[in-house]
Amino acid sequence: MRKFIVAGNWKMNTTVPEGELLANEIQTKIWHYDRDKFQLIVAPPYTHLATVGQILDSDRVKLGAQNLFWEEKGAYTGEVSAAMLKSIDVEYVIIGHSERRKYFNESDEILLKKVQIALNYNLTPIFCIGEQLEQREANEHFDVIKSQLENVILRLSAEQLSKVIIAYEPVWAIGTGKVATPEQAQEIHHFIRQLISEKFSSNLANDLTILYGGSCKPNNVAGLFEKPDIDGGLIGGASLKADDFLEIFKILIDKKS
Ligand code: 13P
């Protein structure tokens, strides 16, 4: 069954004490909800994961990492492995965020290896795709999305793919305050589901969770979450304020109940 999710990507924000405060506020304010249908996730920086994980009750708020390395272990100074994340009860990992593609030159080839090691360790990848502004303006967005999927996600087995969450994050909407319209996002989400349906099956495509990310705020998510192929949000800036983050989750539950 398709799951509806709000995930907070804290990016490189908050010190550890600030992160603890934020996690405590989320933990204090989160309510009981239908966990078969909905999920709330936070993805703080690596340095925060262990303590934030202890603060959060994993029955209600799951822990995600923002990245991982593709090798099992060894001489890779500064990197963090899937086994390390697993050992502190991380359950999700963001892979292929546009900021990592841009600043760290993460290619599709690297991203496929990251998705595979995550799946081998039973970490759920939140795999990000999205076009840049020039690509949208040149009307290339469908081609970009198709190639990002073909080079990574569509190379997985059906069983592997059934464990992946996809996040559509148009690069021009990230951190810009310029949110995609519900129609623009729905069109891409539908396209993603169609591609997966063609390559695998409509059942698999229907069960898949596809999140939208890019300037989501409590005042603009209702229209997005009303769309049939938008199953929640990957939230940057607004996930740093507990009230905004939880309000977005509340709107998701309201729209998908
Ligand atoms: P903003 O919500 O700050 O635009 O960030 C979106 C994002 O990149 C989440 O991964």
Side-chain angles (χ1 to χ4, degrees), residues 4-239:
F4 301 104
I5 295 172
V6 166
N9 175 9
W10 293 7
K11 307 194 181 182
M12 198 177 74
N13 291 298
T14 72
T15 61
V16 174
E18 286 165 354
E20 285 175 25
L21 277 177
L22 177 55
N24 264 310
E25 196 181 343
I26 293 169
Q27 179 58 40
T28 308
K29 292 180 172 171
I30 187 64
W31 56 91
H32 287 282
Y33 57 85
D34 178 358
R35 287 185 288 133
D36 291 332
K37 195 162 174 192
F38 298 98
Q39 188 67 65
L40 190 66
I41 302 167
V42 295
Y46 283 146
T47 43
H48 304 36
L49 284 169
T51 38
V52 165
Q54 279 164 5
I55 292 168
L56 299 173
D57 168 8
S58 64
D59 274 352
R60 277 183 275 177
V61 193
K62 300 282 192 198
L63 199 57
Q66 297 174 20
N67 184 28
L68 86 175
F69 194 57
W70 65 79
E71 293 288 354
E72 303 263 342
K73 62 175 168 179
Y76 302 103
T77 301
E79 291 299 329
V80 171
S81 72
M84 293 172 191
L85 297 176
K86 256 330 243 198
S87 72
I88 50 165
D89 300 325
V90 170
E91 294 181 64
Y92 297 83
V93 58
I94 299 171
I95 296 176
H97 194 281
S98 67
E99 287 147 17
R100 295 213 57 89
R101 294 177 191 258
K102 178 179 171 194
Y103 298 118
F104 305 97
N105 298 319
E106 291 195 357
S107 62
D108 289 341
E109 195 186 343
I110 284 174
L111 298 177
L112 178 58
K113 288 202 268 185
K114 289 190 171 195
V115 168
Q116 269 163 340
I117 194 116
L119 289 169
N120 289 346
Y121 279 83
N122 255 334
L123 289 161
T124 301
I126 302 176
F127 183 68
C128 304
I129 53 176
E131 81 285 357
Q132 293 168 17
L133 182 61
E134 312 82 70
Q135 294 168 327
R136 179 161 279 268
E137 283 173 350
N139 212 21
E140 292 166 3
H141 42 296
F142 289 105
D143 292 341
V144 172
I145 296 299
K146 189 169 180 210
S147 121
Q148 288 174 336
L149 288 174
E150 277 176 347
N151 293 337
V152 185
I153 291 304
L154 297 182
R155 296 189 179 202
L156 301 174
S157 68
E159 205 209 325
Q160 286 178 313
L161 180 54
S162 70
K163 295 175 183 146
V164 173
I165 295 167
I166 295 176
Y168 169 57
E169 299 204 308
V171 179
W172 48 271
I174 296 176
T176 57
K178 200 173 150 193
V179 65
T181 66
E183 291 69 30
Q184 284 173 322
Q186 164 61 27
E187 186 179 45
I188 297 285
H189 284 226
H190 180 70
F191 178 66
I192 295 168
R193 231 183 273 286
Q194 216 172 16
L195 286 175
I196 289 165
S197 178
E198 280 163 18
K199 169 90 200 265
F200 296 96
S201 68
S202 57
N203 278 351
L204 179 53
N206 271 328
D207 285 348
L208 216 66
T209 300
I210 309 178
L211 308 179
Y212 166 80
S215 296
C216 285
K217 303 279 180 267
N219 67 6
N220 64 23
V221 290
L224 289 158
F225 295 164
E226 269 166 15
K227 294 293 181 191
D229 289 302
I230 302 179
D231 309 318
L234 181 55
I235 319 297
S239 73

